Amino acid sequence: MEMETRKVAFYTLGCKLNFSETSAIGRQFEEHGFVKAAFEDAADIYVINTCSVTDHADRKCRKVVKEALKHNPEAFVAIVGCYAQLKPQEIAEIPGVHAVLGAAEKFQLVETLAGFQKPATGQPGQVFASPISEATEFHAAHSYGDRTRTFLKVQDGCDYSCSFCTIPLARGASRSGSVQSVVERVQKLAETGVKEIVLTGVNLGDFGLQGPERERKENFFDLVRALDEVEGIERFRISSCEPNLLSDEIIRFVAQSKRFMPHFHIPLQSGSNKILGLMRRRYRRELYQERVRLIKEVMPHACIGVDVIVGFPGETEADFLETYQFLNELDVSYLHVFPYSERENTLAPTLPGRVQDRHRHERTTQLRSLSEKKKRYFYEQHTGLETAVLFEDDVTNGQMEGFTPNYIRVVAKYDPLLVGELKRLRLTAVNPQNLMEAEEIGVEIFQH
């Protein structure tokens, strides 16, 4: 296509890793003279970064394409991301899609578009998608420009074979850069004024497989120790780490760390060992329980988030109640609950004991209600505490929000001077929206 077009807009579906990669692709466009535009701003090029984990991937992709073409019927539309790797031909048939790029090609999008000609009206889009086995290179990425917090991709791909998951098919084998390369990127981010970095990856705890041969040269603990020494960054968070890879040494290190926050997100998926076996998870509930126990022993105020899937094939009412009771008694802070959703080319749909959709919905509702109770209880335990809050630049209805080290969301009246600043406050009360209110120590300006 002709490269004199200069406005590009992005839309991202899915996880924080996708958002960091969209930002990286966006910077490539800017380096080639493009201006990043708002989605509704009649851009010349629309890049839609898709997800295969969220439900109705095809419907969502079609809807976003349709909306893009409303804003500019002549726009060029490119689709990247996990869904693009899994179903490139299917996406290419969506009216208005011009190019589909797989996992190995998405970071060459700008170069691919040079000299590219749109398919004729009514013809399918062109597919640039190699087999996932060719996605062997690690591409660094980070989100930047719209938040105080930056999501930094340090690992990609996964070598696990959980029976419900398409991620290895969509993103390939586990791979990462070196500790030194991550440290250098963090140092550059520190120079831009970023205060908090969230480490992200597909299987973050598996960090360290490097080069074409994917040799295990370093591990995640090496990375954590090195980043703790980087000057200029106030806070690091570990986005999500498999319980079998969140070692005791990492937990104990975070407990005495200068910069790593007492906040963990640890996927559980089920509190039933029977279901964990069917899921092909690499741990059992006893190990998970031990991880939570150690975290709370060395960091009593730590926030612990949990991923759970309900309605997995073979999950009886008794199995679900086992999960519910396990989580109810576990000292965790919030839950991310997902009803099981069938994925092509995975083992799970072939398993016996399909759970009816209405039961999946009922179980999801029950656990989300439990999550709200746990979150409120966790927040209430901290009322009266003095702590540092890092405020972000999201402003809604004259209010802004920030986070404590242990991820309590604090609401305050908007003040331009607070954006991106660490402020020492006293937590006062949990409001009806399950947000923490606070007051400035000595001067009560944060009450509502």
Side-chain angles (χ1 to χ4, degrees), residues 199 224 227-228 236-238 254 257-262:
L199 304 180
V224 168
L227 292 179
D228 202 50
F236 287 99
R237 293 188 193 274
I238 298 169
V254 170
S257 160
K258 298 189 287 288
R259 294 182 172 87
F260 276 82
M261 297 295 98

Side-chain angles (χ1 to χ4, degrees), residues 125-300:
Q126 192 166 342
V127 172
F128 304 87
S130 308
I132 194 60
S133 58
E134 295 187 24
T136 57
E137 189 176 346
F138 176 75
H139 293 274
H142 67 269
S143 65
Y144 182 66
D146 53 352
R147 298 181 75 88
T148 303
R149 210 179 327 142
T150 288
F151 294 91
L152 176 65
K153 172 188 167 187
V154 301
Q155 184 274 340
D156 201 351
C158 186
D159 292 343
Y160 289 7
S161 55
C162 298
S163 62
F164 54 82
C165 187
T166 58
I167 292 296
L169 299 173
R171 284 191 168 269
S174 179
R175 58 202 185 274
S176 53
S178 65
V179 168
Q180 184 57 36
S181 67
V182 177
V183 167
E184 289 171 1
R185 283 160 57 207
V186 167
Q187 288 170 335
K188 289 179 181 176
L189 284 170
E191 291 171 5
T192 69
V194 167
K195 297 284 176 61
E196 178 174 308
I197 290 177
V198 184
L199 304 180
T200 64
V202 174
N203 189 352
L204 184 59
D206 198 34
F207 173 91
L209 294 167
Q210 298 167 28
E213 305 303 318
R214 297 196 311 122
E215 294 178 66
R216 171 73 67 190
K217 297 181 179 180
E218 297 165 312
N219 61 35
F220 188 50
F221 185 42
D222 296 330
L223 179 65
V224 168
R225 284 186 299 184
L227 292 179
D228 202 50
E229 298 300 322
V230 178
E231 298 289 338
I233 299 295
E234 301 276 355
R235 296 176 167 183
F236 287 99
R237 293 188 193 274
I238 298 169
S239 65
S240 180
C241 190
E242 293 285 301
N244 52 300
L245 296 175
L246 185 62
S247 64
D248 288 2
E249 61 183 357
I250 292 173
I251 292 170
R252 294 187 184 279
F253 184 85
V254 170
Q256 53 82 48
S257 160
K258 298 189 287 288
R259 294 182 172 87
F260 276 82
M261 297 295 98
H263 173 210
F264 298 86
H265 194 90
I266 317 170
L268 169 67
Q269 311 307 12
S270 177
S272 160
N273 280 342
K274 176 191 119 180
I275 300 300
L276 288 173
L278 292 172
M279 288 178 166
R280 292 189 170 179
R281 301 292 285 164
R282 299 195 178 195
Y283 56 87
R284 293 299 178 261
R285 55 184 268 163
E286 290 77 15
L287 181 139
Y288 196 96
Q289 195 168 29
E290 174 56 27
R291 292 290 183 267
V292 172
R293 185 204 62 76
L294 178 60
I295 290 170
K296 285 297 187 176
E297 176 188 306
V298 296
M299 289 169 278

Side-chain angles (χ1 to χ4, degrees), residues 238-439:
I238 298 169
S239 65
S240 180
C241 190
E242 293 285 301
N244 52 300
L245 296 175
L246 185 62
S247 64
D248 288 2
E249 61 183 357
I250 292 173
I251 292 170
R252 294 187 184 279
F253 184 85
V254 170
Q256 53 82 48
S257 160
K258 298 189 287 288
R259 294 182 172 87
F260 276 82
M261 297 295 98
H263 173 210
F264 298 86
H265 194 90
I266 317 170
L268 169 67
Q269 311 307 12
S270 177
S272 160
N273 280 342
K274 176 191 119 180
I275 300 300
L276 288 173
L278 292 172
M279 288 178 166
R280 292 189 170 179
R281 301 292 285 164
R282 299 195 178 195
Y283 56 87
R284 293 299 178 261
R285 55 184 268 163
E286 290 77 15
L287 181 139
Y288 196 96
Q289 195 168 29
E290 174 56 27
R291 292 290 183 267
V292 172
R293 185 204 62 76
L294 178 60
I295 290 170
K296 285 297 187 176
E297 176 188 306
V298 296
M299 289 169 278
H301 289 302
C303 178
I304 303 174
V306 186
D307 286 338
V308 197
I309 295 172
V310 297
F312 189 80
E315 183 186 70
T316 63
E317 187 66 22
D319 296 328
F320 170 71
L321 290 175
E322 188 179 4
T323 292
Y324 186 97
Q325 197 60 33
F326 181 68
L327 288 166
N328 190 40
E329 295 173 0
L330 209 57
D331 193 2
V332 294
S333 314
Y334 63 90
L335 314 175
H336 284 172
V337 188
F338 307 91
Y340 168 72
S341 182
E342 286 80 359
R343 295 286 181 261
E344 288 183 34
N345 300 314
T346 61
L347 176 66
T350 70
L351 298 174
R354 182 187 184 279
V355 178
Q356 292 182 14
D357 290 347
R358 67 182 180 90
H359 292 317
R360 298 185 205 185
H361 177 73
E362 289 166 359
R363 294 171 189 178
T364 300
T365 300
Q366 288 180 59
L367 280 185
R368 285 179 178 165
S369 175
L370 177 63
S371 177
E372 287 301 302
K373 292 174 186 173
K374 281 192 165 289
K375 182 179 174 182
R376 189 170 191 90
Y377 177 78
F378 177 68
Y379 278 25
E380 286 172 345
Q381 300 310 298
H382 293 79
T383 53
L385 186 75
E386 293 182 9
T387 187
V389 177
L390 177 59
F391 283 99
E392 302 192 347
D393 58 1
D394 292 338
V395 180
T396 306
N397 298 325
Q399 292 190 317
M400 60 194 304
E401 296 177 358
F403 288 91
T404 66
N406 59 344
Y407 209 58
I408 291 174
R409 189 187 295 263
V410 177
V411 64
K413 184 179 178 183
Y414 172 60
D415 181 345
L417 293 177
L418 287 178
V419 174
E421 294 297 323
L422 275 165
K423 188 79 172 175
R424 191 148 191 91
L425 303 173
R426 182 181 294 108
L427 307 180
T428 57
V430 185
N431 70 18
Q433 290 73 45
N434 260 7
L435 298 172
M436 180 67 79
E437 296 185 351
E439 63 185 20

Side-chain angles (χ1 to χ4, degrees), residues 53 118 279 405 432:
V53 175
K118 281 186 184 181
M279 288 178 166

